[in-house]
Amino acid sequence: MRITNGHNLRIAVQNDGRLTSRSLELLRGIGLEFEEHERRLFARCRNADVELLFIRDDDIPEYVHDGVADLGIVGRNVVIEQGSRVEELESLGFGFCTLALAVPREDAARTPRDLDGRRIATTHPAALRHYLDREGIDARVVEIRGAAEVAPALDVADAICDLVSTGTTLRMNDLRRLGDVFESEAVLVANPATLLDRERAALVERLRVRLRGLLVARHMKYVTLNAPRCALPRIQEILPGMKSPTVVPLAEEGMVALHAAVEEEVFWEVMERIKEAGGSEILVLPVEKVMR
Ligand code: PRT
Ligand code: ZN
């Protein structure tokens, strides 16, 4: 079915970086069909009145704010750093990282307060200043463009404030994490005017419902099992997400098959407990999409 209402919706996506492949995977997951080509600025969706705009991640909040794009997928850290007045619609569950403070391993500093009177190199000056003001720490912010992790070794600064995900970069540069400024992940942002336009807002809402269906499905499992009918109450206790399972009688007297979508992660331990409670032939299947 074609998603169209005659109103072109433009979605800004990072052109070539950490968020690109997961962003495109997500857009395909909600049913948009398109072909992206390297170095192309636009991609039109074949089956929807939606156009993708491929740009640098740093430009996304501004372009969405200015209405060049209606929606954008970008790290929350970029939105915070730029102070952009865009609407954050959804957290997207990828691109996780933390803006953190770090010092050389041998440094005497033990808490962020110990950075009083010292220099901190960062590519996130606005977010860092805001944090320092809030915490009452009187440090000097050294704004840099490239890799912050080399700043202490070059004596450009005493500490750094940078994004951390695995912590490998800090370790490789002999740096020790001192404290966290905020956590970030990829988010879907919208132009406020788009949300006030009835037709476009309706299209955004449709995409958003699909998106939630995709995100919720990640945390869901579909469980099927056989059990004696009398074991059902106990099994429902073990799987609290299972509100009203489908129960089908089996040919064998007193036995039923039970099917249900469960919101929690289903681990081995839970399966073992179900087995103890009388369940057998337990299958746990992934759920691809959910529409409620
Ligand atoms: O060219 P363009 O401007 O589009 O890309 P970019 O180089 O500015 O951004 P890119 O692709 O590196 O990151 C895009 C977004 O990914 C960021 O805005 C964050 O929201 C998110 N993200 C998630 C990260 C990281 N994890 C991350 N680890 N962005 C950067 N890093 C860097 C960090 O700055 C440090 O240099 O990775 C290093 C630390 O990683 P670990 O794993 O060693 O801890
Ligand atoms: Zn960037």
Side-chain angles (χ1 to χ4, degrees), residues 103-114 176-179:
V103 288
R105 204 197 306 279
E106 309 303 328
D107 196 277
R110 285 289 166 258
T111 73
R113 301 211 163 275
D114 300 330
R176 168 165 53 83
R177 198 155 159 174
L178 201 61

Side-chain angles (χ1 to χ4, degrees), residues 233-269:
R234 177 82 193 97
I235 289 173
Q236 279 179 261
E237 255 172 55
I238 299 168
L239 288 171
M242 198 180 272
K243 276 191 216 105
S244 56
T246 307
V247 179
V248 188
L250 292 179
E252 193 184 332
E253 189 64 29
M255 287 293 287
V256 292
L258 194 145
H259 293 211
V262 181
E263 265 192 48
E264 284 82 9
E265 295 291 335
V266 177
F267 295 110
W268 284 109
E269 200 196 310

Side-chain angles (χ1 to χ4, degrees), residues 14-20 55-60 74-78 94-98 123-124 146-149 162-172 177 184-186:
Q14 189 185 22
N15 57 1
D16 178 24
R18 285 169 198 266
L19 304 182
T20 309
I55 50 178
R56 287 194 55 193
D57 71 337
D58 312 67
D59 293 335
I60 292 177
V74 66
R76 185 183 288 126
N77 54 292
V78 183
F94 66 93
F96 289 105
C97 53
T98 305
T123 53
H124 285 72
E149 64 271 13
D162 194 14
L163 297 174
V164 177
S165 50
T166 61
T168 310
T169 305
L170 293 188
R171 268 195 305 282
M172 281 182 30
R177 198 155 159 174
S184 177
E185 70 185 281

